[in-house]
Amino acid sequence: MTEITRAEGTAIEVLLVEDDPGDVLMTQEAFEEHKVRNRLTVVSDGAEALAYLRREGAFSGAVRPDLILLDLNLPRRDGREVLEEIKKDEDLGRIPVVVLTTSSADEDILRSYQLHANAYVTKPVDFERFIAVIRQIDEFFVSVVKLPPRA
């Protein structure tokens, strides 16, 4: 097992914003299967995601994520709204956001990039392919890309 870490040996913090329990479980399994210290935090709707990122209420002690995996179709606050809020915030806007969704609609892809998503990935339905995609996202944004320092 390889351990992928930030500079100075700090574990990677990933925030998964996903309301589908099956997709949450598959993502957790992908992380557990291939990582030692990287931490995956899960919130299940857009309002929770923004509260977590802004360290509000129950999330006052939240650790700033190094990477956000964001579903588009979320309860309470839609993923597009969450993406827009993140990217217009001077501090949060530096966090890479990967849209990870079932939609392959051109309008969703275009809108996500207009809102400054760092990547758009359509979720595979096959379990093994889903695991491979999560690993590729992680390897790219953690091993290849230089992430901004945490605030």
Side-chain angles (χ1 to χ4, degrees):
M1 237 185 241
T2 59
E3 180 178 309
I4 300 174
T5 58
R6 290 184 67 108
E8 296 93 39
T10 306
I12 298 299
E13 297 285 338
V14 179
L15 177 63
L16 174 63
V17 186
E18 175 60 67
D19 65 321
D20 183 310
D23 288 348
V24 169
L25 184 60
M26 285 194 295
T27 304
Q28 288 170 328
E29 288 181 14
F31 271 74
E32 288 169 9
E33 185 175 328
H34 300 288
K35 305 292 176 268
V36 174
R37 290 176 43 195
N38 292 352
R39 189 172 121 175
L40 181 69
T41 300
V42 180
V43 293
S44 61
D45 65 54
E48 271 190 341
L50 291 172
Y52 182 93
L53 291 166
R54 292 175 177 150
R55 299 178 180 141
E56 297 171 345
F59 301 110
S60 61
V63 176
R64 177 191 166 120
D66 298 302
L67 176 65
I68 300 168
L69 303 178
L70 177 67
D71 188 18
L72 288 183
N73 302 310
L74 297 167
R76 294 178 59 198
R77 294 285 300 265
D78 183 76
R80 294 156 198 84
E81 294 174 60
V82 173
L83 179 58
E84 185 172 16
E85 289 291 317
I86 291 169
K87 291 303 182 176
K88 76 178 185 182
D89 183 288
E90 188 176 320
D91 182 45
L92 299 176
R94 293 182 285 214
I95 302 171
V97 177
V98 175
V99 173
L100 183 61
T101 188
T102 55
S103 174
S104 58
D106 288 344
E107 60 269 14
D108 284 336
I109 296 167
L110 179 60
R111 182 73 179 135
S112 294
Y113 283 117
Q114 287 171 335
L115 293 171
H116 306 290
N118 296 86
Y120 190 100
V121 178
T122 303
K123 294 178 195 172
V125 290
D126 172 76
F127 176 74
E128 292 302 320
R129 183 75 185 117
F130 186 93
I131 297 287
V133 164
I134 295 296
R135 189 165 66 209
Q136 289 170 338
I137 290 169
D138 184 68
E139 287 173 1
F140 181 73
F141 279 96
V142 175
S143 300
V144 178
V145 173
K146 182 98 170 132
L147 295 170
R150 286 189 195 133

